[in-house]
């Protein structure tokens, strides 16, 4: 037992180092029940992210069905490359060339919200700032030395960071700060949905399972009393 405890204590610091430094994240406060937000997030992803980042574990027709979009409307307004509605949401970017352009192949984002968290994605989308030392002229407070350009800069505008690590208000974007925050929240909402499309169903089913277990516990208690009645 003593050796086991010492082994656990030795591993804990390594786990803390692997997790990396913690930082305060902004709350996304997104709502998976908001279908209109999910639709806006889906459209935002198709128009701004899909050229580089695939969702290869998510199908178009599943997304259409869950978001209340007909296959005809979806094919006309969300599928710009002519795929079949049953196809996965992919792009045609060549992986080897992309690795040369960006330093590494842009990752698939289907499970990003489960890997990072919705709050991380929301904060990341809002934390780009000007940094002339970087190849694309920007850096990110959440993801230091990120290897991608700020593709939403025309919407958000440009932010700067002072010597204390504080970000300025964005200037020069086509959206106000409030509008861009809502845009980032919709996009975050959609990425949380793709990470687990049946999350709401699972959570609702969980209440029924817990209720069943309480009922089972009640009958198990009565059965226990019946078995032990003669013993006592």
């Amino acid at each position: 037992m003593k050796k086991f405890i010492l082994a656990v204590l030795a591993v804990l610091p390594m786990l803390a180092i692997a997790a990396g430094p913690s930082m305060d994240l902004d709350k996304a406060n997104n709502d998976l029940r908001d279908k209109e937000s999910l639709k806006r997030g889906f459209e935002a992803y198709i128009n701004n992210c899909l050229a580089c980042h695939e969702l290869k574990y998510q199908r178009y027709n599943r997304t259409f069905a869950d978001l209340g979009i007909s296959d005809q409307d979806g094919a006309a307004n969300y599928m710009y490359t002519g795929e079949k509605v049953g196809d996965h949401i992919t792009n045609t970017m060549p992986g080897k060339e992309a690795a040369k352009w960006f330093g590494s192949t842009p990752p698939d984002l289907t499970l990003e919200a489960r890997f990072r968290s919705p709050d991380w994605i929301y904060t990341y989308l809002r934390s780009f700032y000007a940094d002339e030392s970087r190849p694309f002229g920007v850096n990110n407070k959440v993801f230091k030395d990120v290897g991608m350009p700020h593709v939403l800069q025309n919407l958000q505008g440009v932010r700067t960071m002072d010597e204390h690590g504080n970000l300025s208000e964005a200037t020069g974007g086509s959206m106000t700060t409030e509008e861009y925050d809502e845009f980032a929240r919709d996009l975050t909402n959609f990425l949380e949905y793709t990470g687990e499309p049946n999350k709401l169903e699972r959570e609702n089913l969980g209440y029924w399972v817990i209720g069943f277990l309480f009922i089972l516990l009640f009958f198990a208690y009565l059965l226990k009393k019946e078995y032990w009645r003669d013993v006592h």
Side-chain angles (χ1 to χ4, degrees), residues 51-102:
C52 296
H53 298 282
E54 296 183 322
L55 298 172
K56 62 183 179 182
Y57 303 111
Q58 182 76 9
R59 294 182 186 273
Y60 280 105
N61 57 355
R62 171 64 191 265
T63 306
F64 297 158
D66 289 345
L67 272 56
I69 303 171
S70 68
D71 286 351
Q72 294 76 16
D73 182 32
N77 298 301
Y78 297 93
M79 296 175 60
Y80 301 145
T81 55
E83 304 98 330
K84 298 177 181 179
V85 293
D87 287 346
H88 293 90
I89 303 177
T90 59
N91 59 36
T92 58
M93 175 178 283
K96 290 184 178 180
E97 284 75 5
K100 294 178 182 178
W101 300 332
F102 301 107

Side-chain angles (χ1 to χ4, degrees), residues 34-44 67-69 78 190:
D34 188 345
K35 291 291 183 69
E36 293 305 315
S37 171
L38 289 172
K39 288 180 183 179
R40 293 192 300 268
F42 182 31
E43 183 177 8
L67 272 56
I69 303 171
Y78 297 93
F190 175 69

Side-chain angles (χ1 to χ4, degrees), residues 39 49 98 104 115 121 124 127 152 183 194 196 223:
K39 288 180 183 179
C49 309
S104 62
F115 174 63
I121 294 175
Y124 171 81
S127 298
L152 303 175
F183 176 90
T194 63
E196 189 178 359
L223 183 61

Side-chain angles (χ1 to χ4, degrees), residues 214-230:
F214 274 117
I215 296 172
L216 181 63
L217 177 63
F218 173 74
F219 285 107
Y221 174 74
L222 294 180
L223 183 61
K224 176 259 183 188
K225 290 192 67 175
E226 181 66 23
Y227 275 133
W228 286 87
R229 182 178 56 184
D230 297 331

Side-chain angles (χ1 to χ4, degrees), residues 139-195:
N139 211 323
N140 194 283
K141 188 174 181 179
V142 176
F143 194 150
K144 182 175 172 55
D145 296 338
V146 64
M148 67 171 283
H150 185 15
V151 296
L152 303 175
Q153 184 169 289
N154 63 316
L155 303 178
Q156 183 187 25
V158 179
R159 304 182 76 178
T160 58
M161 178 183 284
D162 63 22
E163 63 273 16
H164 303 294
N166 300 315
L167 295 177
S168 68
E169 289 292 325
T171 59
S174 62
M175 292 182 174
T176 65
T177 299
E178 292 74 18
E179 289 171 341
Y180 184 78
D181 288 349
E182 189 66 23
F183 176 90
R185 183 172 295 107
D186 292 337
L187 189 50
T188 300
N189 203 24
F190 175 69
L191 285 174
E192 183 178 6
Y193 154 75
T194 63

Side-chain angles (χ1 to χ4, degrees), residues 13-28:
M14 291 186 286
L15 292 177
I17 294 172
S22 60
M23 68 168 295
D24 293 331
L25 299 175
D26 300 325
K27 293 295 183 182

